[in-house]
Amino acid sequence: MNYYFVWVRSSRYHGKEPLTYASSERLATGTIVEVELQNTPVIGVVSGPTTKPRFQIKPVSRVYDLPPVPAHLLRLAQWLMSYYPAPLGLMTQQLLPASFSEKSLALAAFAKLPEPNLSDLPSLTVQQQAALEAMTERDSYLLHGTTGSGKTRLYIELTARTIADGKSAIILTPEISLTSQLADSFRSVFGSRVIVMHSQQAPAERQRAWLDSLRAKEPVIIIGPRSALFSPVSKLGLIILDEAHEGAYKQEQAPQYQTGRVAAYLSGITRATLVLGSATPSISDYYLAKQKKKPIIELTKLAQEHSHAATEVVIVDRKDHSLFSRSSYISTPLAQAVEGALNRGEQSLLYLNRRGTARLVMCQNCGWQASCPNCDVPLTYHGDNHQLRCHSCSYHASTPSTCPSCKHPDVIFKTAGTKAIVDDVQRLFPHARIARFDTDNTKAERFEQHFEAVRNGEVDILVGTQLLAKGLDLPRLSTLGVVLADTSLYMPDFSAQERTFQLISQVLGRIGRGHVAGRAVIQTYHPDHPVLKDALSGDYRNFYSRELAERQQFMFPPFCYLLKLTARRATIKSAESAANKLRSEIETAGYHVRVEGPAPSFYERFQNKYQWQLVIKARERSELLKIVTNLPANWSYDLDPMDLL
């Protein structure tokens, strides 16, 4: 009998050490098995042999006839547990699918794969060629390419070079909605070598994708969101994070990893090239690349030459009510720009980073406001189903016709969301084909399901949130309207200005890409704000220097590491008391950290609990890990948070 350590894929296993099982077969490290955990069959992976224990153990129920999980993934997961502490059962969920069907196990991997065919692609520009020649070493690179400069074209060249070396590539995108466009671009060159993986695939489709990447005997290309980084490809030569600045690369559930940091470690142990691509690199990424003297490759010119004038940008001051005679949300200049695009057979995009129909429902008579009984945040009105909905906990209720407090009928709806914009646009342009894309879409309504129709011009006006602000290249899109440019600018968080700069810059990059002349109408209450000015002029360096100086002054990343600690309790008093007690314990323990707070969380009440938080800053990340290790059981933590909201 042989004895093995097994990592079990189950959220019910909260331990940090592997479990021991017996097998009559000799099993290699990385072998995928089925074992019994608390009388339930679960999938696991063998992490190594061990000696016979003194206690009684269970046998391995099944050994799957599959190649072993690559050794670098086991090493990555082992590091991940120390860098972003989490139970082993949750960590193993990153490595293995939930289950295998007999049908998917019986399907063979594809045979001979096609050779890359780059003949139909446009020639590389002088800048692209120079960038490619600068990325010959196995190193990490920051690719700072303005929108429309052809970063995807460069990704394809780098991938072709990697395939020629006999190695696979992983191409990450921040949003599932962007996978269709990226996969199409790569499939036109690499055919069936491209494997798409994401959580919205049907279970059988996702299983097949995972098994194909594990069984592949030739180099393949994995495309997907952050979870695709853990794909079981055997020889990895290239990792690309497209739109590397995006907050979606931060995992919000345990293990709460930052994809860029995990990718950097993975590239180190596999000696793979790492490329962080962005038109608006994060402050931290840009600073660290400079400090570590890592190559920063710049693409400043459009890849597609054209005779159009530069994008025409019009700033509309929202305080000037005379410009909003036709609509409360759509100014006259914006309406005229959309009308012009319709007349020319071109597309328009109206961007507003707020969902729903109205974000504020209140009584003008007594001041009552519709708020969530579980979270104390304002409820959002959704006019399509006449419901009030909480975007934090999904609580919903019918919309009252009179005030629940004073019974007065004067209930008003203020602060528009995307659904209200759609209603207004339908009124202004009754014959236009309009589509809304945000996280309120049903599965059938999601952007990835309609990408081809949008690209082919079957939609005249797109209305959406940040889902539409990044990575898209729509040849018929000429007109952009930013309904309100200030939505994220005054959020009480250190990342608010950076986020605003990135969003405005990214959404501006959807037009003026060389297909048709671009026109943008930016509506704002603060037309002279320096962040807005930098974004509209594309002045990243000016924004970077100013923001970096502020981060240094107030000790925020990249000048420190952050840890957010949160107490959730039944009452405000108990949450505040717990936070004060923990602060005292941390300060007396002698950690080399700065403690800020306690203070109520941005969402002070969530799911009927009250939340208070501490923010810990440290020059050395190891000090934060010590705090996490000794954290009381009824506290939650977030290492390297993207924001403190």
Side-chain angles (χ1 to χ4, degrees), residues 488-501 531 547:
S488 59
L489 192 55
Y490 293 105
M491 295 294 281
D493 188 70
F494 76 96
S495 66
Q497 298 201 79
E498 180 178 24
R499 188 73 184 131
T500 301
F501 177 84
V531 170
E547 183 70 10

Side-chain angles (χ1 to χ4, degrees), residues 297-308:
I297 312 296
E298 294 196 348
L299 297 175
T300 59
K301 297 180 180 178
L302 288 178
Q304 186 167 322
E305 293 184 7
H306 62 85
S307 57
H308 311 307

Side-chain angles (χ1 to χ4, degrees), residues 364-430:
Q364 288 200 110
N365 184 56
C366 73
W368 167 86
Q369 181 178 331
S371 60
C372 176
N374 303 322
C375 306
D376 265 357
V377 297
L379 292 171
T380 299
Y381 172 61
H382 288 256
D384 52 346
N385 53 21
H386 203 53
Q387 274 196 341
L388 299 176
R389 192 181 305 169
C390 174
H391 287 167
S392 294
C393 72
S394 297
Y395 168 84
H396 60 274
S398 58
T399 305
S401 55
T402 59
C403 173
S405 178
C406 70
K407 308 304 178 186
H408 198 277
D410 200 3
V411 176
I412 60 170
F413 301 83
K414 289 279 189 179
T415 314
T418 49
K419 290 180 180 177
I421 302 304
V422 168
D423 292 342
D424 230 30
V425 171
Q426 285 175 334
R427 178 181 60 81
L428 292 171
F429 308 105

Side-chain angles (χ1 to χ4, degrees), residues 185-201:
S185 298
F186 274 77
R187 282 198 180 108
S188 68
V189 175
F190 301 101
S192 56
R193 285 185 190 271
V194 176
I195 300 173
V196 174
M197 272 203 263
H198 58 74
S199 59
Q200 289 179 5
Q201 291 172 313

